[in-house]
Amino acid sequence: MTIQWFPGHMTKARRQIQEKLKLIDAVIELIDARLPLSSRNPMIDEILQGKPRLVIMNKADLADPEVTRQWQAYFKNEGLTAFPVDASTGTGVKDIPNQIKLLLKEKIDKQIAKGMNPRAMRVLIVGIPNVGKSTLINRLAGRNIAETGDRPGVTKGQQWIKVAGGEMELLDTPGILWPKFEDQNVGYRLAVTGAIKEEILNVEDIAFFAIKYFANYYWETMSERFDLKERPTDLDNPDEIVAVMEAIGRKRGCIVSGGRVDLEKASSLFLRELRAGKLGRYSMESPY
Ligand code: G4P
């Protein structure tokens, strides 16, 4: 489901997360490994008010592993622990409680030094819609409890979910954040991956953006799949990108009367294949 975010929604979402911060020891900031910046909330540092944070790059199974490694180094440089996860199969998920423990080590050591029994670490997951919050909660909990889908502003009874033999407790309702709408490229990157619905942006514009990006970074994969002969020489020339779109359309038989290529159909088809993983693993932005 795509949420229409208005300033009122943002204020409410922010307030709800900040209310929850009082209850928890650490935050898991969930982002999409294919677009780690575009899938982040622009005000995240301000919203989290210095709460210890683990950055999880989800959907790493779909991202370019080399670029994901670069992002991990980028976040380390920013003073944040980040690591890739595939919440849909569970790869990397079992490390999360240990990483949270490391993050809270000082606090836990202090409790032990005072002779206290450290209580369960309380954690909240936050992220933009579709990033995989519910999938991760279910995966960590080892059962099917979190509802998938998003309803900002809807308050449900909150529950703590025990994880890692009770060492960690997770709030069952994640914090839903908004992406950075002001930057049109962010919108396109999110739309390419399917994080926001196509109705918001024009499908041909989204495909144009993706094809231009692939022509630059993943030409081999794209040309192999669609049997493309001519690589654009000037990526800033829209005609050259449209020529690639047409070649893709012709290859897939998206032809209208008069032999012209149906660009809308070609665009939808290209995006469908991309999202279905037919063009292999890719990242839509890199840190360097
Ligand atoms: P949200 O709560 O943050 O809104 O996201 P949610 O868990 O609903 O996940 C959004 C979509 O992303 C789901 O697919 C989910 O299966 C998929 N997903 C989550 N984590 C991963 C991952 O690590 N790798 C991959 N490949 N996909 C992931 P969907 O098509 O909306 O639903 P469905 O096909 O699972 O029914």
Side-chain angles (χ1 to χ4, degrees), residues 50-97:
K51 217 23 123 174
R53 176 187 356 167
L54 191 63
V55 177
I56 300 287
M57 295 186 275
N58 194 35
K59 307 196 186 185
D61 54 310
L62 306 174
D64 185 328
E66 179 49 37
V67 181
T68 302
R69 271 190 290 277
Q70 291 173 9
W71 279 113
Q72 196 165 10
Y74 165 91
F75 283 113
K76 194 172 176 197
N77 210 27
E78 299 277 298
L80 289 166
T81 307
F83 66 94
V85 151
D86 167 6
S88 61
T89 62
T91 308
V93 170
K94 68 172 185 338
D95 284 340
I96 293 177

Side-chain angles (χ1 to χ4, degrees), residues 58-59 61-62 86-88 128-135 148 150:
N58 194 35
K59 307 196 186 185
D61 54 310
L62 306 174
D86 167 6
S88 61
I128 65 166
N130 270 315
V131 74
K133 298 178 295 299
S134 306
T135 310
T148 37
D150 312 287

Side-chain angles (χ1 to χ4, degrees), residues 25 104-120:
D25 302 301
L104 298 175
K105 190 175 179 320
E106 214 175 300
K107 193 170 173 175
I108 296 170
D109 285 350
K110 266 189 200 156
Q111 289 175 346
I112 295 173
K114 281 187 196 159
M116 290 156 74
N117 242 345
R119 64 165 173 76

